[in-house]
Amino acid sequence: MGRTAIVAGASGLIGTELVACLMNEPSYERVVILVRKPIHIVHPKCIQVITNYEQLEDEIKAYMAESDLFCCLGTTIKKAGTKEQFRKVDLEYPMRLGKLAKTYHAAYFGIVTALGANAQSSIFYSQVKGQVEADLEQLQLPALHLFRPSLLLGERSDVRTGERIGAVLSVAVTPLLIGGLQKYKPIHVKTVAKAMLHTALLGNRGIHRYQYEQIEELAAK
C-alpha cells in the first residue's frame, strides 16, 4: 500500500498548492484533506473529510497510522475576529493534530509557522507561532519539520490589501536582501508546498527548521 498524506488547511493558500503536489506524487496512494466544507476536487486519490476540530480524533484516526501529516492552518487576527480565536486556529488546532500524530504514530509532521516565530516575542502573532513550535517540540514526534517563510506570494481568494502592498514593496527590495537578510525575502506558496513535500519524501527524523534559503533549496530538488 502506498503512503497516506493528511493535509489540514487544504483550502488555504499553501494547502491548495500542497494538495496539487501530493496528487501528482506517485508515492502517495491517498490524500486526505481536512476541510470545513466540500471543495471542488475530482481525483481518485482524494478523500475529503468535513472537519470539526472539536471532534478531530473521531474524524481522522482511521487515516493516521504511519501517515505524513501536513499542517497549513493559519489565519489573521482581523479574519479571526479576536486574539482568542486566532490562538485557536494557529495554536490549539495544530496542537490537537500534533497530539494525534503522536498517539497514532504518524511518520511525519510538517507545519508552516512564520519567520520570527518566538514564544517570548512581544508581538502577539510571532509569540503564538513560536509557542506552537515549542509545544510541538515537547511532543517528541519522530519527524517534526517547521517551515518559517517570510511574506507569502500567491493568489488569494480573499483580498488582503496590506499584504498586497507589502508584497509589491518586498519584491522591489528583494535584490537588496543578501547574506543574513535573505530570510526576509518573499517566497511563493508553490515553493513552500514543494519543499514540504520533499522533506516528507526524504524521511529525515528529528526536528528541522527551514527559512527562505533552505525552502528554496528543497523546492528545487
Side-chain angles (χ1 to χ4, degrees):
M1 184 175 181
R3 300 167 73 154
T4 295
I6 301 174
V7 183
S11 61
L13 200 59
I14 294 175
T16 299
E17 296 293 344
L18 178 58
V19 168
C21 290
L22 290 163
M23 296 298 189
N24 291 321
E25 171 51 52
S27 301
Y28 288 94
E29 183 172 332
R30 58 184 181 179
V31 179
V32 181
I33 62 173
L34 311 184
V35 291
R36 292 182 178 179
K37 56 185 179 181
I39 60 178
H40 183 68
I41 293 182
V42 179
H43 197 286
K45 288 185 182 182
C46 183
I47 300 171
Q48 294 196 41
V49 177
I50 309 305
T51 305
N52 176 354
Y53 280 87
E54 307 300 329
Q55 301 172 340
L56 188 59
E57 183 170 8
D58 291 340
E59 294 172 347
I60 68 170
K61 62 184 179 182
Y63 307 110
M64 288 293 297
E66 299 301 318
S67 65
D68 293 336
L69 203 158
F70 302 88
C71 182
C72 303
L73 291 170
T75 185
T76 63
I77 296 176
K78 181 178 180 180
K79 188 172 182 180
T82 64
K83 287 185 175 181
E84 290 73 20
Q85 189 61 30
F86 176 86
R87 286 179 63 89
K88 181 171 285 190
V89 175
D90 281 61
L91 176 58
E92 291 181 24
Y93 292 169
M95 284 307 301
R96 289 179 189 179
L97 288 165
K99 290 174 181 178
L100 290 176
K102 178 76 171 181
T103 299
Y104 291 96
H105 308 290
Y108 167 96
F109 192 100
I111 181 171
V112 181
T113 60
L115 184 66
N118 182 347
Q120 306 306 315
S121 176
S122 60
I123 300 171
F124 179 72
Y125 179 87
S126 299
Q127 180 189 112
V128 172
K129 294 296 189 180
Q131 190 64 58
V132 74
E133 287 191 358
D135 290 353
L136 286 169
E137 286 185 42
Q138 291 298 313
L139 294 177
Q140 298 184 324
L141 297 167
L144 175 61
H145 295 256
L146 307 164
F147 295 82
R148 291 175 159 187
S150 183
L151 185 66
L152 294 170
L153 303 177
E155 292 299 320
R156 296 184 182 276
S157 57
D158 57 326
V159 177
R160 298 181 182 180
T161 305
E163 288 191 359
R164 286 190 175 182
I165 294 171
V168 172
L169 294 175
S170 294
V171 170
V173 301
T174 289
L176 304 177
L177 300 177
I178 59 177
L181 297 177
Q182 282 196 77
K183 62 185 179 181
Y184 296 105
K185 288 184 177 181
I187 193 165
H188 202 282
V189 290
K190 289 182 179 180
T191 303
V192 180
K194 288 178 181 178
M196 295 183 80
L197 172 58
H198 191 69
T199 58
L201 294 175
L202 283 175
N204 292 334
R205 298 172 71 84
I207 299 171
H208 304 269
R209 287 183 174 83
Y210 312 98
Q211 296 183 156
Y212 176 86
E213 189 173 6
Q214 296 84 13
I215 294 172
E216 286 279 358
E217 290 176 356
L218 285 164
K221 292 182 179 179

